[in-house]
Amino acid sequence: MATTEVPAPLEDVADALRRMMDLLLRVDDDPALGHITSELHAVSDLLEAEFDDERPFDKMLHSDAPRHDPVSGVENAIAPPIVVEVDSDGTAHAEVDFGLPYQGPKGLLHGGISALFLDHVLSLANSNNRSGVDNGFLVTAQLSLRYHKPVPLFERATVSARQTSIDGRKVRAAGEISVGGEVAVSAEGLFIATRIRPADVPGDKGGA
């Protein structure tokens, strides 16, 4: 008998916050919203009362980091989130409908959001092909974008990328955001394989 995966509580909370952010961008400023402000502050106070970790990034570094990133992190309300799949040829791709939280010009995707999503998917395309590359973190050294046409909100967009070359610790990839089968934004990226591995990241030692 098939089982249905139940989202973790943080996923549910993040999803509720995404809905809230979208709705706040759809309403006009109104004094009647004051009671909502009070309720939101009350919820924040409850969370703060449970929060006693002065260095939350230490804990996150040793957790499932993709759950927290701002593109595909299911526990990050900023993320849509997207689900990136990698084909047998190494192409990474994801589909996304960008909503109001990602708006730049009216009805169009913010250019900086395009850069964020392309950087993320290019990096994943490289991460899935590390042949001959040091097994450290891959960090972005250079990201070049060309904006061919605006990306409309509320229309299905495809973000895709593929690795183009490996030269020692230098790894390159290229990708694009397409809408309706037409390229709207294209990108080329240079990534450097650092010598810092996940196991080398210091843990939470409670000090400064």
Side-chain angles (χ1 to χ4, degrees), residues 34-109:
H35 72 282
I36 295 179
T37 303
S38 299
E39 291 180 13
L40 290 174
H41 279 304
V43 171
S44 297
D45 290 342
L46 286 172
L47 290 174
E48 276 191 341
E50 297 294 327
F51 179 76
D52 59 1
D53 188 351
E54 295 182 358
R55 302 183 65 184
F57 47 88
D58 287 336
K59 184 179 297 182
M60 290 173 64
L61 284 171
H62 291 276
S63 63
D64 189 0
R67 299 178 68 83
H68 300 134
D69 75 63
V71 176
S72 59
V74 294
E75 294 177 357
N76 189 335
I78 297 174
I82 65 172
V83 177
V84 181
E85 298 180 351
V86 181
D87 294 338
S88 58
D89 65 357
T91 300
H93 58 90
E95 293 188 339
V96 56
D97 296 328
F98 291 106
L100 286 175
Y102 309 101
Q103 181 172 238
K106 186 176 181 180
L108 302 174
L109 182 66

Side-chain angles (χ1 to χ4, degrees), residues 170-187:
K170 297 179 180 179
V171 186
R172 290 179 169 82
E176 57 277 327
I177 297 176
S178 301
V179 181
E182 296 185 3
V183 175
V185 187
S186 58

Side-chain angles (χ1 to χ4, degrees), residues 18 20 42-43 51 55 106 115 120 124 126 132 135 142-143 154 168 175 188 208:
R18 287 186 200 101
M20 176 69 70
V43 171
F51 179 76
R55 302 183 65 184
K106 186 176 181 180
H120 183 80
L124 288 178
N126 282 329
N135 194 33
Q142 182 176 342
L143 184 66
F154 309 116
E188 295 181 347

